[in-house]
Amino acid sequence: MLPADHPTHRLDASPFLAACRGLPHERVPVWFMRQAGRSLPEYRAIRGEGSILDAIAQPELSTEITLQPVRRYGTDAAILYSDIVVPAYAVGFGIDVVPGVGPVAEQPFRTRDDLQRLRPLEPEQDTPYVLETVRQLAKELDVPLIGFAGAPFTVASYLLEGRPSRMYVATKALMHTDEVLWHDLLDRLADHAIASLRSQVLAGASAVQLFDSWAGTLSAADYERYVLPHSERVLAAIGELGVPRIHFGVGTGELLGLLARAGAEVVGVDWRIPLAEARARVPKGTSLQGNLDPVLCCATWDVAAAGTRAVLESNAGHPGHVFNLGHGVLPETDPGILEQVAALVHAEGVVHASPDAP
Ligand code: CP3
């Protein structure tokens, strides 16, 4: 149960929350993954040097960075400025985010002893700055705030590889050679995600997104056996709070049904399959989020506009659609193009009253 003064209660008319639930609403909602930061000059002006983890530890700064894209693009939701490695960092695993590289662990996870570096997360003590940012945003925003966490698999991949990876050799090696340790590791990371997401929602987030960005590297069979039970546990724990749950991965066209089955109102779709095809792969009643190829926003406006219209057309007015990119905003994106994409979605997006309308 959410507290009586939770912002969700005054956001009843939010097109974003309605679309997450497949309910009728006025206009197609839009937000952009990685909208906070990256391409915005006003972000670079205040971000400072060094690790993003230092910026995240400053609530005033993180609040302002979260608000910047909402102001500039008129998005229908805000995404908390934070990072998926914050819980592992906060319990002292020994991980940082290196500018231009991404998460780097000096001593990657190798043996059972490394579980000691992953004690339970106590959000009020370990990440008070995240909750302070959420509380400030809950006061200032008039659109829903999306809280988020990394899914156990994607966070595990950083801890095991020690840095961004293409082939996930160490990750798949552990999964297939020591299944018991694999599940113990993912259990701990699922507990982190649950604690983090719960605390974000109770502090004022109105929806959550579970980022399993790199799950697309797995076969459906491996996903189902080694990953699904853990993400399912995370999503079930958050389900009790009653906020919409978005489950996202890249290259997950073959996993969409399983991502929905893990327990999500909304499944993220990358640009590799059209929304109409994605819809056929998830249970009826599941909403979709996506799926403009972010690269199209780095070309001309005509290219971005054609891509945007194709996404709207493929969705065909289904009320269960949150417009987004298929993955995050690329650093070289001209913010002016994203502004125009949001405006075009609002101007031309059509929402039918019922999923079965023509
Ligand atoms: O705008 C938003 O979406 C909110 C903030 C946000 C960040 N990271 C800030 C950030 C969110 C939701 C994330 C999630 C995240 N972090 C994911 C899942 C989303 C996805 O894109 O698939 C992943 C895989 C990470 C891990 C991570 N952190 C990577 C791969 C990088 C990029 C490294 C780089 O510089 O290219 C980061 C750093 C990071 N996190 C930046 C931002 C704005 C960029 C660098 C910076 O400003 O310090």
Side-chain angles (χ1 to χ4, degrees), residues 214-229:
W214 314 134
T217 188
L218 298 172
S219 67
D222 281 354
Y223 178 85
E224 194 170 358
R225 173 165 175 171
Y226 299 106
V227 176
L228 177 74

Side-chain angles (χ1 to χ4, degrees), residues 197-260:
L197 290 174
R198 273 190 69 87
S199 68
Q200 291 174 53
V201 171
L202 291 172
S206 294
V208 298
Q209 179 153 331
L210 190 62
F211 282 98
D212 213 349
S213 302
W214 314 134
T217 188
L218 298 172
S219 67
D222 281 354
Y223 178 85
E224 194 170 358
R225 173 165 175 171
Y226 299 106
V227 176
L228 177 74
H230 302 283
S231 295
E232 203 167 17
R233 189 160 72 81
V234 174
L235 291 166
I238 303 311
E240 295 165 16
L241 298 171
V243 299
R245 297 160 295 177
I246 308 168
H247 197 184
F248 167 81
V250 185
T252 41
E254 301 303 325
L255 304 178
L256 291 178
L258 293 171
L259 292 184

Side-chain angles (χ1 to χ4, degrees), residues 85-105:
V85 299
V86 165
Y89 163 76
V91 302
F93 179 81
I95 190 159
D96 199 357
V97 181
V98 176
V101 178
V104 173

Side-chain angles (χ1 to χ4, degrees), residues 148-166:
F148 72 90
F153 171 78
T154 288
V155 177
S157 79
Y158 285 115
L159 305 188
L160 285 157
E161 305 297 332
R163 55 190 303 114
S165 168
R166 273 170 53 91

Side-chain angles (χ1 to χ4, degrees), residues 33-38 43 47 52 79-84 97 99-103 148 158 211 213-214 248 327:
M33 287 183 278
R34 296 276 180 97
Q35 66 187 17
R38 289 286 172 126
Y43 170 70
R47 155 78 167 78
I52 189 175
I79 177 120
L80 178 69
Y81 181 74
S82 183
D83 197 86
I84 61 167
V97 181
V101 178
F148 72 90
Y158 285 115
F211 282 98
S213 302
W214 314 134
F248 167 81
H327 195 193

